[in-house]
Amino acid sequence: MPSKNYATLNEILTQTIAWEDAIKVVNENEKLIKELDLKAYSQVLIVGCGSTYYLSLAAASLFQSQLGVIAKAYPSSELLLFPKSVYTDGKILLIAISRSGSTTETLRVVEAFKRERRGHIIVITNYSDSPLATLGDICLSINKGQEKSVAQTRSFASMFVALSAMVSCLEGNKKFDLYQHLLLASGNRIINTYKTLVEQYARNNAITQFFFLGSGSCYGLACETSLKLKEMSQTITEPFHFLEFRHGPISMVNQNTLIIGLISENASSSEMAVLKDTKNFGAKILTVGEKGTDIEFQSGLPEYARYVLYLPVLQLLAYYRAINFDKNPDEPRNITAVVEFDMIS
Ligand code: F1P
């Protein structure tokens, strides 16, 4: 058992309160969201840095597959340093995501986008009083997702729920609050049911390298949950798209490898086949998904509404790994909660 009362643990365990807040905030902004005419945009760009870039990856996949718009994710810095490789003619919908609302790259991107009148801006943040929050045509600020810890856990999940609810709202015919009860109850149940299992994996010192596999929206979530493990415990870990793993990375697999598979609904047989290959090379496997997996959601929710359920247990894996190595999960080495700097040009 952890000897100290770390904020990270509390933030992971209580995160469904922040999910609920996210749904409330989207409901409050429903009219403005519904006024957006997606057909009017040449593309939807979703940007952030670090965790919020990975959130953008998951969200872009969700936007394009659910709403049929061209949606792309970029790290904010790419729009600043290589704008021509990103921007297209025509009106753009920019979704800027930042827990703090103060990250320099994201702020500069939004300011330039506004100045150049490229289209409309939606801001997603956890701080309604941040500089970024004032720059959006729509601002979804989920204040209950705020954290004391450096690594994003409940903040990330809360902003992801907001994006999922926004997709629902833009689809027009569904209201995300229909799913609210099931989603929150499933989140709490999954945490309680599986926290001991993930703690066992985290404390297994025979495992020295972790790979997170995910495709579609699960790729962004695989990147994020791998980042959690890296940040909190400095463990060797990388994310990959499922089938990409066979094209080289599988060479890394040995008896000390854990492969974590974020199993999707439609591609599960291909995903399971990749995992079987890695098992033949000695890897241990931990699968997460709606059913037929080691960690089962059993939520009954449509896939687009339940992606957030992958997060809490995999965040806990990172937390317990940090504890196992006697590291402070609240303050990972070498990083700060916000990266602010003077831009050179
Ligand atoms: C982005 C971010 C965090 C990360 C790190 C530095 O912050 O990359 O994801 O944990 O500590 O900043 P934000 O723009 O989402 O506030």
Side-chain angles (χ1 to χ4, degrees):
M1 286 300 286
S3 49
K4 287 197 190 133
N5 219 356
Y6 287 112
T8 303
L9 181 61
N10 181 51
E11 286 158 2
I12 296 171
L13 297 180
T14 63
Q15 65 182 284
T16 57
I17 295 167
W19 303 3
E20 189 174 8
D21 192 33
I23 298 168
K24 182 170 141 270
V25 169
V26 171
N27 281 341
E28 285 164 1
N29 286 274
E30 188 182 356
K31 191 168 172 291
L32 286 174
I33 295 169
K34 286 204 157 133
E35 275 168 17
L36 292 168
D37 176 12
L38 287 184
K39 288 191 287 305
Y41 303 106
S42 60
Q43 59 173 336
V44 178
L45 291 178
I46 312 183
V47 300
C49 299
S51 287
T52 40
Y53 164 55
Y54 296 143
L55 182 44
S56 305
L57 279 175
S61 169
L62 197 60
F63 263 66
Q64 183 148 337
S65 52
Q66 288 297 124
L67 302 171
V69 288
I70 296 173
K72 292 184 184 153
Y74 288 95
S76 300
S77 55
E78 290 292 289
L79 278 71
L80 282 180
L81 305 179
F82 300 94
K84 283 192 191 152
S85 72
V86 178
Y87 288 128
T88 44
D89 290 339
K91 243 171 41 155
I92 293 169
L93 178 63
L94 178 71
I95 303 181
I97 314 175
S98 170
R99 169 179 63 178
S100 62
S102 299
T103 296
T104 303
E105 289 115 297
T106 306
L107 272 173
R108 296 295 166 266
V109 164
V110 172
E111 286 162 0
F113 186 93
K114 252 181 130 69
R115 218 173 29 246
E116 292 154 13
R117 296 172 186 275
R118 291 188 183 272
H120 293 119
I121 300 164
I122 300 179
V123 165
I124 303 188
T125 181
N126 293 113
Y127 288 84
S128 51
D129 55 355
S130 64
L132 191 66
T134 62
L135 297 176
D137 298 296
I138 299 174
C139 176
L140 305 179
S141 178
I142 306 114
N143 291 359
K144 289 202 177 148
Q146 290 174 11
E147 288 154 333
K148 289 202 185 84
S149 311
V150 170
Q152 301 195 10
T153 56
R154 77 164 166 217
S155 59
F156 182 99
S158 72
M159 292 186 285
F160 191 53
V161 169
L163 281 151
S164 310
M166 196 163 89
V167 165
S168 208
C169 198
L170 285 164
E171 275 193 297
N173 52 350
K174 294 179 210 136
K175 279 205 95 186
F176 200 80
D177 31 315
L178 282 180
Y179 304 135
Q180 175 169 322
H181 175 71
L182 261 187
L183 189 68
L184 269 48
S186 304
N188 290 327
R189 177 176 39 76
I190 292 162
I191 291 171
N192 288 328
T193 310
Y194 294 108
K195 67 174 189 294
T196 312
L197 176 71
V198 288
E199 181 169 2
Q200 281 162 4
Y201 278 102
R203 289 186 180 276
N204 183 345
N205 291 329
I207 302 170
T208 55
Q209 53 178 1
F210 294 64
F211 295 104
F212 291 73
L213 306 189
S215 294
S217 280
C218 283
Y219 177 65
L221 302 181
C223 292
E224 167 61 11
T225 45
S226 171
L227 178 70
K228 290 308 86 167
L229 191 60
K230 217 174 251 168
E231 285 179 331
M232 287 192 220
S233 71
Q234 292 82 52
T235 296
I236 295 175
T237 167
E238 294 298 332
F240 291 95
H241 294 93
F242 265 98
L243 273 64
E244 279 298 293
F245 196 67
R246 286 191 179 121
H247 297 273
I250 198 164
S251 178
M252 294 291 292
V253 169
N254 60 28
Q255 308 282 333
N256 306 110
T257 305
L258 177 66
I259 312 273
I260 294 139
L262 285 74
I263 304 294
S264 70
E265 189 161 291
N266 291 331
S268 61
S269 47
S270 306
E271 293 166 353
M272 288 294 194
V274 175
L275 295 176
K276 194 161 164 262
D277 289 353
T278 69
K279 205 170 178 179
N280 292 338
F281 293 121
K284 294 172 188 47
I285 311 289
L286 177 64
T287 52
V288 188
E290 176 68 6
K291 53 178 185 282
T293 44
D294 301 312
I295 294 175
E296 291 189 316
F297 305 154
Q298 297 279 9
S299 70
L301 290 162
E303 188 175 36
Y304 88 92
R306 66 171 189 246
Y307 280 115
V308 71
L309 297 175
Y310 290 94
L311 294 169
V313 278
L314 299 180
Q315 293 164 343
L316 280 172
L317 181 74
Y319 169 81
Y320 286 124
R321 189 76 174 174
I323 297 299
N324 184 52
F325 290 151
D326 238 350
K327 293 173 188 264
N328 178 350
D330 292 355
E331 288 169 20
R333 73 174 192 199
N334 305 348
I335 57 173
T336 52
V338 193
V339 178
E340 291 171 294
F341 59 95
D342 288 330
M343 295 290 295
I344 296 157
S345 71

